[in-house]
Amino acid sequence: MTLPDLDLRAEIVVDLDAIARNVALLKQKAGGAALMTVVKADGYGHGLVESARAARAGGADWLGAAVLEEALALRRAGDTGRVLTWLAVPGEDYTDAVEAGIDVTAYSVPQLGDIAAAARSAGRPARVQLKVDTGLNRGGATREQWPALVEAAADAEQSGAIRVTGAWSHFACSDEPDHPSNDLQEKAFAHALEALDALGLQPEVRHLSNSAGTLLRPWSAYDLVRCGIAAYGLSPAPEVVTSAELGLVPAMTARARLAMVKRLPAGAAVSYGHTWTAPRDTTVGLVPIGYGDGVPRHASSTAEVLAAGGRRRIAGLVCMDQFVVDLGDARAEPGDPVVLFGSGEDDAPTAQDWAEACGTISYEIVTRIGGRFVRRHVSTEGLVGR
């Protein structure tokens, strides 16, 4: 993608065509399974509605939203396809979701009761998927709770309050393909599905695989795979395989303009705490964004940006509104562009590069960036403003 001219202080550019192409590639990798693109957390920082439209253009059969508000926002934006949501607390009102034809997830018998009550209020059956905990030990019914949940679901379906549309679980270690828990979870999931068969429940979709499972354990696909980070062009298992090796293109570019350029003598210390000292006479540039905009403070003196024609390291601590980069002897002027991370073209760092510099994962880099950045969506395929 050729980036548009930068005329703002700082912006996030999201390439919707890249998302669509990534989704199309993932659908091929999924074989005959349907594909869900997960757009939770504002589309992993890329924009909820815009990412959803790009995913649909790439062939996504389903969209995944963590909470009810995200799923309902998709409906308000005009999405009429299948949408699954899965995270709620006791007392939440499912009525609007039931009326909107959104699939909701039940972890427990009381939660299933809340959903059934909403269905009676809405005057139509709720579309419900049952989640079993197979070893992640996070959300979902435990092995001990699962039989009661399945039995309650069968009763509620018999009464007409719900329709059981799916059963699912989530891998804990699919980014480590040889981890023994993967096989154990798959066996636990297969065993859990037997309980549905025993009571005559016939879910439309059974699903276990996330992005890493889709790419590294294709035999675990079942009827549906759920892809999140890979849809945005970042590898879910970078220590195993890179985005480039997978054919994925990072969709987000975070960039800014230099606010100031100055020459410093050797021995001059920079930013709070004077944690970085110029080892030689050097030029530094001031970038007008900071941790108030989601730039990790852990990037201090470690992460690199693309500026003045090459990779340049952050010098000193990242501040709330700004940070400094060491430009060496390169020529630079106030207003020149700085790319924090992008697609990797032109030697620009990627979100994965920043994740490694900060000791975190690319998911956190792209979802936390924001603040006073202006987000711009671009497409040569007409995906903007659909």
Side-chain angles (χ1 to χ4, degrees):
M1 176 188 68
T2 300
L3 292 172
D5 291 338
L6 175 59
D7 53 8
L8 300 170
R9 182 175 61 250
E11 69 174 1
I12 294 168
V13 182
V14 178
D15 182 357
L16 297 181
D17 298 338
I19 295 176
R21 288 192 295 268
N22 291 333
V23 168
L25 176 62
L26 291 166
K27 190 162 185 177
Q28 291 178 357
K29 299 283 188 183
L35 176 74
M36 176 187 295
T37 299
V38 181
V39 294
K40 65 180 182 179
D42 200 20
Y44 287 54
H46 294 70
L48 172 72
V49 171
E50 296 85 357
S51 297
R53 289 173 179 162
R56 292 294 196 196
D61 305 287
W62 288 72
L63 298 176
V67 297
L68 293 169
E69 296 92 331
E70 294 170 332
L72 290 168
L74 293 172
R75 286 289 190 253
R76 287 193 298 271
D79 191 281
T80 59
R82 300 297 293 276
V83 176
L84 174 67
T85 182
W86 54 80
L87 189 61
V89 296
E92 291 204 41
D93 187 354
Y94 294 89
T95 305
D96 289 346
V98 173
E99 291 176 343
I102 293 166
D103 288 54
V104 297
T105 300
Y107 295 175
S108 67
V109 173
Q111 185 180 22
L112 187 66
D114 290 343
I115 295 169
R120 288 189 286 271
S121 176
R124 60 179 293 180
R127 303 179 60 86
V128 179
Q129 300 204 16
L130 309 178
K131 185 175 183 183
V132 60
D133 181 5
T134 55
L136 182 60
N137 291 320
R138 200 175 61 175
T142 65
R143 181 178 61 182
E144 294 76 19
Q145 297 166 336
W146 181 247
L149 176 60
V150 173
E151 184 175 351
D155 290 344
E157 182 168 279
Q158 185 66 31
S159 73
I162 73 167
R163 167 78 178 97
V164 177
T165 60
W168 65 288
S169 192
H170 195 67
F171 278 125
C173 302
S174 56
D175 57 334
E176 302 176 60
D178 296 327
H179 197 288
S181 71
N182 293 319
D183 287 341
L184 291 174
Q185 282 196 260
E186 191 162 350
K187 290 177 182 177
F189 187 54
H191 180 71
L193 293 176
E194 292 175 0
L196 280 75
D197 295 337
L199 292 178
L201 291 173
Q202 298 179 324
E204 300 168 31
V205 290
R206 303 159 301 158
H207 46 113
L208 177 62
S209 287
N210 51 8
S211 288
T214 302
L215 295 166
L216 303 178
R217 293 179 63 88
W219 58 88
S220 304
Y222 282 91
D223 308 305
L224 172 69
V225 296
R226 307 180 307 270
C227 292
I229 197 67
Y232 305 99
L234 295 164
S235 173
E239 295 181 358
V240 179
V241 60
T242 67
S243 295
E245 289 168 339
L246 290 167
L248 301 171
V249 177
M252 178 187 289
T253 297
R255 59 184 186 167
R257 300 171 70 201
L258 289 175
M260 186 178 188
V261 177
K262 63 176 65 174
R263 192 73 178 166
L264 295 182
V270 172
S271 196
Y272 288 126
H274 281 182
T275 60
W276 184 89
T277 301
R280 64 196 180 292
D281 292 353
T282 192
T283 299
V284 296
L286 183 65
V287 184
I289 46 176
Y291 61 77
D293 308 289
V295 178
R297 198 164 183 265
H298 283 84
S300 300
S301 296
T302 60
E304 294 180 329
V305 302
L306 179 65
R311 293 273 192 111
R312 313 293 176 185
R313 181 160 293 184
I314 293 175
L317 293 180
V318 173
C319 307
M320 186 180 294
D321 315 301
Q322 54 202 290
F323 64 85
V324 176
V325 293
D326 180 12
L327 301 173
D329 293 323
R331 285 190 169 188
E333 298 290 339
D336 285 353
V338 176
V339 176
L340 281 71
F341 55 85
S343 66
E345 298 176 358
D346 301 323
D347 198 36
T350 64
Q352 180 59 37
D353 291 327
W354 269 62
E356 292 171 8
C358 297
T360 186
I361 55 176
S362 62
Y363 303 66
E364 183 179 5
I365 298 298
V366 293
T367 55
R368 75 183 298 176
I369 202 83
R372 289 158 290 188
F373 280 92
V374 175
R375 189 163 58 197
R376 184 197 313 212
H377 295 91
V378 296
S379 168
T380 60
E381 301 296 328
L383 297 180
V384 177
R386 273 192 178 184

